[in-house]
Amino acid sequence: MTGKILLVDDEEGIRSVLGISLSDMGYEVHTAENGESALRVFRDQRPQIVLADVKMPGMDGIDLLRKLKAEDPDTEVILITGHGDMDLAIKSLKYEATDFITKPIEDRELESALEKARQRIKLRHQWRSYTENLEDMVRRKTDRITAAAEEGHNAENGRFRRLFEELPGYVAVIDGDYRITEVNKALKCDFGIDDPGGIHCYELFRGLDEPCVSCPVARSFAEGSPCQEELKFTPDGGARTCHMFAWTTPLQDETGDISRVMIMMTDISQLLDLKDHLASLGLMVGSVSHGIKGLLTGLDGGVYMLNSGFSRDDPEEISEGIKTVRTMSDRIKHMVLDILYYAREMKLDKQPADIAAFVRETAKVVAARARESGVELVLDVDAFLENSRITIDAEQLRVAIVNILENALDACAEDGEKASHHIDFRAFAENGAVCFDISDTGPGMDAETRENIFKLFYSSKRSRGTGIGLFITRKIVSQHNGTIEVESTPGRGTRFRIRIPYGQ
């Protein structure tokens, strides 16, 4: 038996036919005809996987998804959509849907989505098993330390001191005034202290002037029992942030009163990064796969127009078909290139390059598309840069700039409020750096979009974008020790400025 699954659809025929397929796959199938009854069945049966239609009367699939995730975030929800519901499907991924499949449902696509759900469940079980084992290990070690400490907290006790010093992770003993009285070797090293000297724990770990609002040490003092908490600390003077999982144990003095609390912490930053990366990767795979599917549909439309145009000897329809095929092919190519750039580790091959020639060659990449789109591309290279050279990886830096130029073309093409559009591509020297300015007269961006455009998998183009291009752009610029800035106002266009220092 594969496990329980809840099938939610307002059409009885779909529930019947799909239920048979799911049973054949080994699932214990439970069904519901709408969102309200689905919640009742879910609370009664607690299935790990829910398969629900997006379009249902009353509570739709998106609302059901949000309610299920609120009750049990670990529930894997797969949504069934129609071909016209792609925006809703993409939206569902942002609400942490596992995947979505389109009608008519193909067995291969259904099995793929279910396999993805099973793998996520398996990964979550492995994560919990790892965490529980880690907690058990730390608890055993903490018990040993506690026993030694309760026999007599003596800094000269060699056996206790060696055990205390060599423990993995960070360990500290804190008194009732939140002052640190003992720390182990790892904490001394990573937090840069030789002697705690009675410093407050909230000063050392958080850089605060008063005790933390959520403090496991305070709870152990108050409740007289071990506590655990996930915390954020800033070692290295705030140069980086560590996500810690902390355990506390109260220590009693000879009278039985709790005089100190021992806290043990382990850095889980990499595990959280892996978790976020896997979640982002799942979102990207879903977005990209369905984005490519939409582009292939558009490509089919262009081929159909070509066939129709040739059969009727209609030059206008043939021309329109060629334009559609070319557009869709270009979009697929750019999407695949973005994914390849993200997937591989980029190593620069820097060579001296003629700056003016580099700028003109970069402009040529998008010049034809600008003409077809009716957008004027204005190129301005400062005279100072003629015959001037800079050491760069020309191929990769060109990719970074072309990403911005193509985004500017997309923005201008989508803006129907203005009669005409132009893009200014300027290059000039300033304060020991070469500046590349790209300004467009498109619709501009709001504050939220400006803040998120460089984030991985964030796209303002919905299903037409991968959310990888500008992330790659910033990475390439950073590898050149450069900076990238953006200014944009809704209705007034956007300006990007890339600065690459000569002496990088």
Side-chain angles (χ1 to χ4, degrees):
M1 181 62 68
T2 305
K4 293 181 181 180
I5 189 168
L6 172 58
L7 171 61
V8 189
D9 199 296
D10 58 324
E11 297 184 34
E12 184 177 357
I14 290 180
R15 294 199 305 273
S16 176
V17 173
L18 198 52
I20 293 173
S21 295
L22 294 170
S23 295
D24 290 342
M25 292 178 188
Y27 290 96
E28 178 185 326
V29 182
H30 300 269
T31 61
E33 69 275 8
N34 55 49
E36 289 78 8
S37 62
L39 287 175
R40 290 193 295 270
V41 176
F42 177 79
R43 290 162 185 160
D44 181 54
Q45 297 296 328
R46 290 294 174 183
Q48 290 182 309
I49 303 174
V50 176
L51 185 63
D53 193 10
V54 169
K55 294 290 185 67
M56 294 186 294
M59 185 190 303
D60 65 15
I62 299 293
D63 289 336
L64 176 60
L65 163 66
R66 297 176 68 177
K67 289 182 181 295
L68 290 172
K69 285 293 184 179
E71 291 199 14
D72 185 355
D74 290 345
T75 305
E76 302 297 337
V77 182
I78 302 169
L79 292 182
I80 305 171
T81 71
H83 284 293
D85 302 328
M86 198 56 64
D87 286 345
L88 282 175
I90 296 298
K91 182 180 178 182
S92 73
L93 294 178
K94 296 180 181 179
Y95 289 120
E96 300 185 4
T98 305
D99 202 352
F100 58 89
I101 55 179
T102 56
K103 295 179 180 178
I105 300 172
E106 298 182 3
D107 288 344
R108 185 169 53 185
E109 188 176 6
L110 174 62
E111 179 55 39
S112 175
L114 291 170
E115 176 62 22
K116 180 178 179 181
R118 291 193 295 268
Q119 288 299 320
R120 286 165 63 105
I121 293 169
K122 180 180 178 182
L123 179 63
R124 192 157 48 244
H125 286 165
Q126 290 174 343
W127 165 270
R128 285 177 178 163
S129 176
Y130 169 80
T131 303
E132 289 169 1
N133 290 337
L134 182 62
E135 289 178 3
D136 185 57
M137 179 192 73
V138 174
R139 190 178 297 111
R140 291 197 306 270
K141 290 182 178 292
T142 303
D143 289 344
R144 291 170 62 189
I145 297 172
T146 302
E150 289 176 345
E151 290 173 1
H153 182 69
N154 189 340
E156 299 301 321
N157 187 318
R159 183 165 174 241
F160 167 74
R161 170 55 61 185
R162 287 194 299 273
L163 176 63
F164 184 86
E165 287 282 359
E166 298 301 330
L167 270 173
Y170 305 131
V171 185
V173 177
I174 301 170
D175 67 17
D177 294 323
Y178 301 105
R179 294 186 183 277
I180 300 174
T181 61
E182 298 285 347
V183 294
N184 74 331
K185 185 187 298 182
L187 198 151
K188 288 179 183 178
C189 178
D190 288 358
F191 281 77
I193 56 172
D194 293 325
D195 184 352
I199 187 173
H200 291 102
C201 58
Y202 50 81
E203 293 174 328
L204 176 63
F205 297 139
R206 300 285 190 88
L208 300 177
D209 297 326
E210 57 186 17
C212 311
V213 176
S214 176
C215 178
V217 173
R219 292 212 310 274
S220 278
F221 272 117
E223 300 171 8
S225 60
C227 295
Q228 57 187 33
E229 185 83 24
E230 187 177 321
L231 305 169
K232 288 183 181 180
F233 290 161
T234 53
D236 305 331
R240 61 190 176 98
T241 298
C242 289
H243 293 267
M244 302 284 185
F245 199 85
W247 296 264
T248 59
T249 298
L251 305 178
Q252 297 178 341
D253 59 20
E254 59 275 4
T255 65
D257 295 330
I258 298 174
S259 60
R260 300 175 305 280
V261 167
M262 180 176 292
I263 183 169
M264 172 174 275
M265 300 167 289
T266 186
D267 192 344
I268 59 171
S269 302
Q270 290 184 333
L271 293 174
L272 291 178
D273 288 343
L274 176 61
K275 180 181 177 183
D276 291 342
H277 181 70
L278 289 173
S280 297
L281 190 60
L283 177 61
M284 184 204 72
V285 170
S287 299
V288 169
S289 62
H290 288 281
I292 290 179
K293 186 184 294 184
L295 293 175
L296 291 175
T297 301
L299 193 62
D300 286 342
V303 173
Y304 174 83
M305 282 190 286
L306 279 173
N307 288 334
S308 177
F310 280 120
S311 64
R312 296 192 300 160
D313 197 20
D314 185 342
E316 185 175 342
E317 189 170 12
I318 292 172
S319 177
E320 187 65 26
I322 291 174
K323 182 178 178 181
T324 301
V325 169
R326 182 184 300 161
T327 299
M328 295 302 164
S329 298
D330 284 345
R331 288 182 178 176
I332 292 172
K333 179 185 70 175
H334 292 149
M335 182 177 288
V336 171
L337 287 175
D338 277 349
I339 296 169
L340 290 175
Y341 262 96
Y342 168 68
R344 74 181 186 182
E345 182 65 28
M346 295 182 292
K347 295 182 180 179
L348 298 186
D349 179 19
K350 294 183 181 180
Q351 302 290 336
D354 184 298
I355 300 173
F358 167 78
V359 173
R360 294 189 178 101
E361 288 298 319
T362 301
K364 286 181 182 179
V365 176
V366 298
R369 185 182 165 197
R371 285 193 298 271
E372 291 179 0
S373 303
V375 178
E376 183 183 7
L377 179 61
V378 181
L379 184 62
D380 180 13
V381 181
D382 190 273
F384 176 80
L385 296 181
E386 296 292 345
N387 300 317
S388 179
R389 299 175 74 79
I390 188 172
T391 301
I392 57 174
D393 186 321
E395 179 185 352
Q396 294 209 25
L397 189 57
R398 181 172 290 115
V399 168
I401 295 174
V402 167
N403 279 338
I404 298 176
L405 287 169
E406 291 189 330
N407 281 353
L409 282 171
D410 289 338
C412 290
E414 293 176 2
D415 184 13
E417 298 295 323
K418 303 180 184 72
S420 61
H421 287 283
H422 65 271
I423 296 172
D424 294 325
F425 181 17
R426 298 178 55 228
F428 57 93
E430 181 182 82
N431 298 328
V434 178
C435 296
F436 304 95
D437 259 26
I438 300 168
S439 303
D440 66 63
T441 57
M445 296 181 283
D446 57 25
E448 180 184 359
T449 303
R450 287 198 307 274
E451 291 174 3
N452 289 286
I453 54 173
F454 294 113
K455 290 183 179 179
L456 184 59
F457 307 137
Y458 179 86
S459 175
S460 60
K461 302 177 185 179
R462 298 185 180 180
S463 59
R464 294 187 300 101
T466 62
I468 304 176
L470 288 180
F471 173 84
I472 291 170
T473 290
R474 186 170 66 172
K475 184 174 182 179
I476 293 172
V477 171
S478 177
Q479 286 182 304
H480 283 84
N481 298 320
T483 60
I484 182 169
E485 302 170 353
V486 58
E487 296 176 1
S488 187
T489 303
R492 299 180 61 183
T494 300
R495 179 178 71 83
F496 284 85
R497 173 169 293 180
I498 293 175
R499 288 187 177 89
I500 304 296
Y502 276 103
Q504 54 173 311

